[in-house]
């Protein structure tokens, strides 16, 4: 890629997540020659975001002279102009279902890499189906779901596979989100994206067919020892010693697409996976089950979606709000992900070869990090972007 004015532009730096992306990118590039800027539709709010992050940084690093670029998803030419100035866009503008495609399209047209943190089914799968070949022809990487959904689980599986003595067959992972004395809250942006994604859960076959036509021509090889999970979504796990619920989100399909990609294009043996969220008590687990049921039902109807997005704090008992979390709440938050891998001590030569005995080897991996929605997500996103521009020669495909 030819030299550009900036290596990275953070698009959508005015929101809660955008500010943590600014902070993470600042720390990650302070000893490098990486040139970056911020972009969005409101210049004054971008200045405000830089000022807020400057307070987080104290006098450690001065970001007051950071270049500000005006770009609006409703003005395609401004998005194109932004993309022409950078090697990579960190796109934090959601919901991606409504605002994401115009940025992806402009990135491909202008030869610019793109990283997002979407967890929205339709956007994730339709973008891959519709733009995979065009991006490949241009030598552009469009990398989706680079936040808490779904970097930790995906990287965890890859790490287990790398360290496993033989063939890794399956991984079950358990997510535990912790909070400090100040409690926990999340900005409405994530909630709104989820509200508008529930209906897409019923379009799985449609997405699968489109991906099979354009991206994944081969059927994924099935193991003789399939990974299963119980009939009830709520259960007690002896492995993590707590009540757990099926992890509802994009991870399952994202991880499966990663395995399809590795199988089809890298000739890797696919790994099965199931994810769960560990609750702090049985009572909280029951409350979570009630909320998920109510949320899922209301999200299927336009009036229900209106109520959920109009009164997020009421329907989530304060878990989501228009005000979002305080800095202290975010800094006190924690994330823990425990992955249990099962497989064999022996490695077969081809990914289609089948083992004839049950898995005989296990491995455990624990990942810990900060609060998931903001600093952890920002960390995942920024490191994904830096990997693309600094280690392009090590990435798959041309």
């Amino acid at each position: 890629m030819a030299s550009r004015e900036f290596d990275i532009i953070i698009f959508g730096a005015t929101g809660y997540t955008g500010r943590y992306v600014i902070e993470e990118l600042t720390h990650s590039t302070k000893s490098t020659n990486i040139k970056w800027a911020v972009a969005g539709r409101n210049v004054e709010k971008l200045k405000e975001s830089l000022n807020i992050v400057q307070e987080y940084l104290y006098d450690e690093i001065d970001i007051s002279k950071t270049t500000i670029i005006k770009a609006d998803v409703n003005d395609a030419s401004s998005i194109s102009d932004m993309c022409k100035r950078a090697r990579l866009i960190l796109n934090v503008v959601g919901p991606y279902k409504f605002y994401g495609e115009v940025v992806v399209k402009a990135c491909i047209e202008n030869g610019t890499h793109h990283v997002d943190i979407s967890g929205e089914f339709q956007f994730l799968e339709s973008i891959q189906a519709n733009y995979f070949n065009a991006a490949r022809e241009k030598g552009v990487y469009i990398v989706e779901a680079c936040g808490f959904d779904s970097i930790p689980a995906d990287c965890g599986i890859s790490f287990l596979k790398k360290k496993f003595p033989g063939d890794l067959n399956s991984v079950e992972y358990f997510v535990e989100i912790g909070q400090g004395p100040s409690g926990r809250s999340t900005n409405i942006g994530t909630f709104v994206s989820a509200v508008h994604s529930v209906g897409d859960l019923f379009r799985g076959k449609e997405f699968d067919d489109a991906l099979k036509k354009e991206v994944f021509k081969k059927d994924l090889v099935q193991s003789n020892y399939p990974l299963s999970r119980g009939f009830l979504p709520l259960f007690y796990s002896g492995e993590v010693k707590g009540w757990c619920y099926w992890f509802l989100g994009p991870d399952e399909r994202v991880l499966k697409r990663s395995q399809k990609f590795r199988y089809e294009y890298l000739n890797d043996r696919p790994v099965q996976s199931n994810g769960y969220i560990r609750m702090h008590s049985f009572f909280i687990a029951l409350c979570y089950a009630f909320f998920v049921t109510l949320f899922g039902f209301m999200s299927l109807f336009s009036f229900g979606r209106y109520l959920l997005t109009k009164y997020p704090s009421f329907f989530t008992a304060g878990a989501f709000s228009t005000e979002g979390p305080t800095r202290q709440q975010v800094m006190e938050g924690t994330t823990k992900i425990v992955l249990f891998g099962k497989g064999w001590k022996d490695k077969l030569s081809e990914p289609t070869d089948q083992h004839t005995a049950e898995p005989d080897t296990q491995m455990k991996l624990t990942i810990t990090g900060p609060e998931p929605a903001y600093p952890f997500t920002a960390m995942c996103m920024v490191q994904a972007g830096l990997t693309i521009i600094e280690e392009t020669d090590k990435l798959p495909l041309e």
Side-chain angles (χ1 to χ4, degrees), residues 239-255:
E239 292 179 304
V240 294
K241 295 179 173 56
W243 287 95
C244 300
Y245 204 92
W246 293 352
F247 189 48
L248 304 176
D251 271 18
E252 181 178 347
R253 293 186 64 87
V254 170
L255 298 180

Side-chain angles (χ1 to χ4, degrees), residues 208-225:
D208 288 341
D209 290 345
L211 285 167
K212 185 173 179 60
K213 179 181 178 181
E214 300 295 336
V215 185
F216 305 122
K217 310 292 185 181
K218 298 193 298 186
D219 291 327
L220 198 64
V221 62
Q222 301 299 312
S223 170
N224 284 344
Y225 300 91

Side-chain angles (χ1 to χ4, degrees), residues 279-303:
M279 302 297 175
H280 295 284
S281 70
F282 181 64
F283 175 73
I284 292 177
L286 289 178
C287 292
Y288 180 80
F290 173 77
F291 163 72
V292 167
T293 303
L294 178 65
F295 172 82
F297 178 76
M298 293 183 66
S299 296
L300 296 176
F301 307 97
S302 58
F303 185 63

Side-chain angles (χ1 to χ4, degrees), residues 167 267 269 347-351 353:
D167 286 325
N267 199 39
R269 178 180 295 275
K347 184 182 289 289
L348 302 180
S349 58
E350 294 296 329
D353 293 342

